[in-house]
Amino acid sequence: MNSKGGLIARYRASQLKKDLPPRAKKVISRIEEIIGTWIGNPNMYAMALRHRSKLVESEFQDHESYEQLEFLGDAVLDLIVAELIYNRYPKQDEGFMTQMRSRIVRAETLAMLADKLKLAEIIEIGDRVRDQGIENSVNVMSDIFEALIGAVYRDRGFPVVFAFVERVILSEIDFSNIEQERDNFKSLLLEFAQSHKLGTPTYRTSEVEGPDHDRVYTIQVLIGTEVRGMGTGKSKKKAEQKAAEDALASYGLPTP
């Protein structure tokens, strides 16, 4: 966007912000502090911070919670983290970089980042579930973080979202500690399957239990068409790790 176009977009954004109710205006100002720049579409960020429990009581449409932006943000985050790792470890092999990325984008790490940014203070939750601890859910907060990334990407583009994610990750994550971790069972299973020409493991959800803010997922991992492992967890990523660990054990392989 040229400088003139940027000024026009920023002016329009300022006018939209003026028309917001007081609480929404405060939330948008807080988001601008978090991402380090102005935002153009306040509604995009409101959706990124809206939990599904708010939809029914406020008559929103099914797609107006954070879930669609979380889907987009997940893909954008994977790309940004992959580039950060590639730039940091240019001489490492694919297996190492895959493990590093998986450790960074797992739900527990993303929920930690959401906590550092204090996103729990500005998420929008339905009144009926306000005291059920949704803001303490690893699964929800990791999804909210990814939804925010999706909103920044849609609103301001890749350079802006890259700068935001890079700043947060480099300031809050200790890469040297992550290098020492040996619990990435998905990466270990992928390496084993590829080295034995078994194909790429695939993961499918076989069961979901519990309310929106406290889901328990059961995941199966398949090698070819055969189910080789199963795991459960509070997030899909954690359940997938458990399933991969179970699959490794089924092949008689020791796990760290």
Side-chain angles (χ1 to χ4, degrees), residues 184-195 198-199 201-203 221-223 228 240 243-245 247-248 250-251 253:
N184 199 309
F185 301 113
K186 285 184 66 177
S187 295
L188 292 174
L189 180 61
L190 177 62
E191 292 171 8
F192 172 80
Q194 290 181 339
S195 66
L198 301 175
T202 57
Y203 297 83
V221 58
L222 294 82
I223 307 292
R228 296 294 308 198
E240 287 173 356
E245 182 180 11
L248 288 167
S250 77
Y251 285 108
L253 300 174

Side-chain angles (χ1 to χ4, degrees), residues 20-170:
L20 295 173
R23 185 189 180 280
K25 190 179 298 183
K26 185 176 180 180
V27 169
I28 293 303
S29 294
R30 176 62 187 137
I31 295 172
E32 289 178 331
E33 292 175 4
I34 290 171
I35 66 176
T37 185
W38 58 275
I39 68 174
N41 185 348
N43 291 331
M44 185 81 66
Y45 297 87
M47 189 165 69
L49 295 168
R50 184 179 298 127
H51 187 261
R52 172 166 284 277
S53 61
K54 189 69 175 177
L55 299 184
V56 175
E57 65 184 42
S58 299
E59 298 183 352
F60 288 108
Q61 300 297 312
D62 286 345
H63 66 277
E64 292 183 288
S65 73
Y66 66 75
E67 293 175 0
Q68 284 189 325
L69 285 170
E70 179 267 329
F71 168 79
L72 178 63
D74 178 69
V76 174
L77 179 63
D78 270 353
L79 175 58
I80 294 173
V81 171
E83 185 168 343
L84 292 175
I85 293 170
Y86 184 86
N87 292 338
R88 190 180 183 94
Y89 304 101
K91 296 183 179 180
Q92 289 286 359
D93 60 26
E94 180 187 5
F96 173 89
M97 291 190 286
T98 298
Q99 287 188 17
M100 288 292 291
R101 181 177 61 184
S102 296
R103 292 166 186 169
I104 292 172
V105 302
R106 64 189 177 190
E108 291 80 5
T109 304
L110 301 187
M112 178 273 291
L113 296 177
D115 182 63
K116 294 288 186 180
L117 297 175
K118 302 186 185 303
L119 295 184
E121 296 178 1
I122 56 175
I123 63 174
E124 191 176 10
I125 301 171
D127 292 335
R128 295 180 181 178
V129 299
R130 189 168 298 279
D131 298 323
Q132 296 183 16
I134 287 175
E135 66 275 11
N136 297 318
S137 166
V138 168
N139 191 33
V140 170
M141 295 314 301
S142 64
D143 286 351
I144 289 286
F145 180 74
E146 290 180 327
L148 178 60
I149 291 171
V152 178
Y153 172 71
R154 289 280 293 172
D155 181 44
R156 295 296 313 280
F158 190 76
V160 172
V161 74
F162 185 95
F164 163 58
V165 173
E166 180 182 39
R167 171 172 55 82
V168 172
I169 286 180
L170 295 186

